[in-house]
Amino acid sequence: MIEKIRIGTRGSKLALWQANHIKELLQKADVECEIIIIETKGDKILDVSIAKIGSKGVFTEEIEEKLKQGYIDIAVHSAKDMQSVLPEGFELIAFTEREIPNDVLVSEKESISLNDKNIIVGTSSTRRVAMLKHLYPHIKTVPVRGNLQTRIAKMKAGDCDALLLAYAGMYRMGYSELIRTQLSLNDFIPAVGQGSVAIECHQSLSEELKNLIKNAVSHSDTEILLQCERAFLRKLEGGCSIPVFGLATLSHDELTMEGGIVSLDGSQIVRKKLVSHKSDAEVLGTDLAKEVLNAGGDVILKDIKSQLNQQKKP
């Protein structure tokens, strides 16, 4: 008999929205839930970039420790925040239906455009910075970290003219009126997993509970997409600070995966696309990563890791 599922989450408003969304889905399956807030390293250290903190587990390490201890049963994360390889003993058991995956330009200035001269765009994402340098080299970027409300407040205070963010967070937090442009997926392919919520557990969780959660929460098509994207990310060894991008799409039984890698200065980019049957999701993601690496992505990746290691040195 399952009495209550304890849901671990970060404490930001967006993280709590995600946790409550999972709670509602589980309650529809007649399961009682409790939400437990856990502060992570990524929440505590806001004055330096994620790349300098370290890309592995910045937003998950403390939560995973609570999972291992049995203090919580499941953890709720933005799927895009999950490292490519989970620590031993952990697994992702469900992915919610994906929201619109696009990046968006956010500003109080209604007519602002990425084509404008002399604008400053705030973002904490190495992928977004690198893509802006590649597509819009005239734009100056500044690091803006913190939760969504903090970032918007910094923009309003004059730290930047606009922010580059995920549509999903803006929509879920009720800030759609600040979205000026939804960036085209032809130009800006998002981070792997963007728009979906992932459920993580420790292997000690019972199979009964895993299956109950999966049946109540997981969206079958999104699960296929994320299997493909995460296989791509895993082969590329991508973390939060590596500017890798990837998006899978499904049309009936046909699965398309497009992704690549861009150098930190935006000068080099490798981007590939493959199509297969949806039953080959992980193979397709892995094969696409191999194509990207063989087309010069391996050299870009090696250079990125070298530069990031230099940044971490005191």
Side-chain angles (χ1 to χ4, degrees):
M1 178 67 182
I2 298 163
E3 293 185 3
K4 183 187 290 185
I5 292 178
R6 296 161 298 169
I7 302 171
T9 178
R10 296 164 62 198
S12 73
K13 287 184 179 180
L14 182 55
L16 288 171
W17 181 96
Q18 293 176 162
N20 278 296
H21 178 56
I22 299 304
K23 181 180 178 181
E24 288 169 10
L25 292 173
L26 286 168
Q27 284 176 334
K28 287 179 182 177
D30 295 323
V31 180
E32 191 179 344
C33 301
E34 176 187 3
I35 292 175
I36 296 171
I37 296 172
I38 299 161
E39 193 174 34
T40 69
K41 187 190 301 180
D43 299 309
K44 296 172 187 173
I45 305 172
L46 298 175
D47 56 346
V48 296
S49 69
I50 291 171
K52 290 182 180 177
I53 302 172
S55 64
K56 290 188 177 180
V58 172
F59 294 115
T60 59
E61 193 174 340
E62 289 84 353
I63 295 176
E64 285 170 341
E65 185 59 33
K66 296 296 185 185
L67 280 172
K68 190 175 181 180
Q69 293 169 359
Y71 181 72
I72 54 175
D73 299 304
I74 59 172
V76 176
H77 307 281
S78 292
K80 69 180 178 63
D81 288 341
M82 299 307 297
Q83 57 264 51
S84 54
V85 178
L86 299 184
E88 188 176 350
F90 295 91
E91 59 181 309
L92 298 178
I93 57 171
F95 298 100
T96 66
E97 184 172 6
R98 176 175 245 158
E99 184 51 81
I100 291 170
N102 302 58
D103 284 333
V104 291
L105 185 69
V106 172
S107 181
E108 288 189 293
K109 301 173 182 178
E110 292 185 17
S111 60
I112 198 166
S113 163
L114 289 175
N115 293 313
D116 293 347
K117 304 297 181 185
N118 303 316
I119 67 165
I120 300 172
V121 175
T123 175
S124 59
S125 160
T126 53
R127 172 187 61 86
R128 289 174 180 140
V129 170
M131 285 304 296
L132 282 173
K133 287 180 177 178
H134 177 69
L135 294 167
Y136 302 94
H138 64 279
I139 286 179
K140 179 184 176 183
T141 61
V142 293
V144 178
R145 287 207 46 225
N147 62 42
L148 192 55
Q149 289 74 21
T150 298
R151 295 185 201 195
I152 290 172
K154 287 180 178 179
M155 176 187 72
K156 289 182 176 181
D159 289 18
C160 54
D161 300 298
L163 297 165
L164 214 52
L165 297 165
Y167 172 88
M170 291 295 291
Y171 173 73
R172 289 165 178 164
M173 289 291 93
Y175 289 124
S176 296
E177 77 280 358
L178 288 175
I179 295 175
R180 301 306 170 206
T181 307
Q182 185 171 299
L183 303 187
S184 167
L185 296 175
N186 292 327
D187 295 328
F188 262 81
I189 296 178
V192 162
Q194 187 159 299
S196 178
V197 178
I199 307 300
E200 184 184 22
C201 74
H202 189 261
Q203 62 186 14
S204 57
L205 193 69
S206 73
E207 288 301 317
E208 178 193 7
L209 203 47
K210 287 179 188 177
N211 289 331
L212 185 153
I213 293 163
K214 185 181 177 69
N215 290 334
V217 169
S218 209
H219 183 254
S220 57
D221 283 356
T222 302
E223 189 171 345
I224 291 168
L225 301 177
L226 270 288
Q227 283 174 353
C228 184
E229 291 176 18
R230 287 188 57 76
F232 170 76
L233 188 70
R234 193 158 49 244
K235 185 65 180 176
L236 279 176
E237 300 176 6
C240 292
S241 55
I242 306 289
V244 168
F245 48 88
L247 182 68
T249 53
L250 197 57
S251 178
H252 303 292
D253 290 339
E254 185 179 88
L255 182 63
T256 301
M257 176 72 198
E258 187 169 9
I261 187 169
V262 56
S263 62
L264 294 177
D265 65 2
S267 65
Q268 297 172 284
I269 188 167
V270 176
R271 178 172 168 170
K272 296 289 181 180
K273 180 195 287 189
L274 286 178
V275 180
S276 188
H277 189 273
K278 67 179 183 180
S279 60
D280 298 324
E282 291 203 19
V283 173
L284 180 63
T286 303
D287 286 349
L288 183 70
K290 289 176 182 175
E291 284 212 3
V292 168
L293 290 169
N294 292 337
D298 56 343
V299 177
I300 295 174
L301 184 61
K302 184 178 178 181
D303 184 55
I304 289 168
K305 288 183 175 180
S306 174
Q307 289 185 60
L308 292 176
N309 286 331
Q310 288 296 319
Q311 288 179 21
K312 290 177 190 175
K313 291 180 180 179

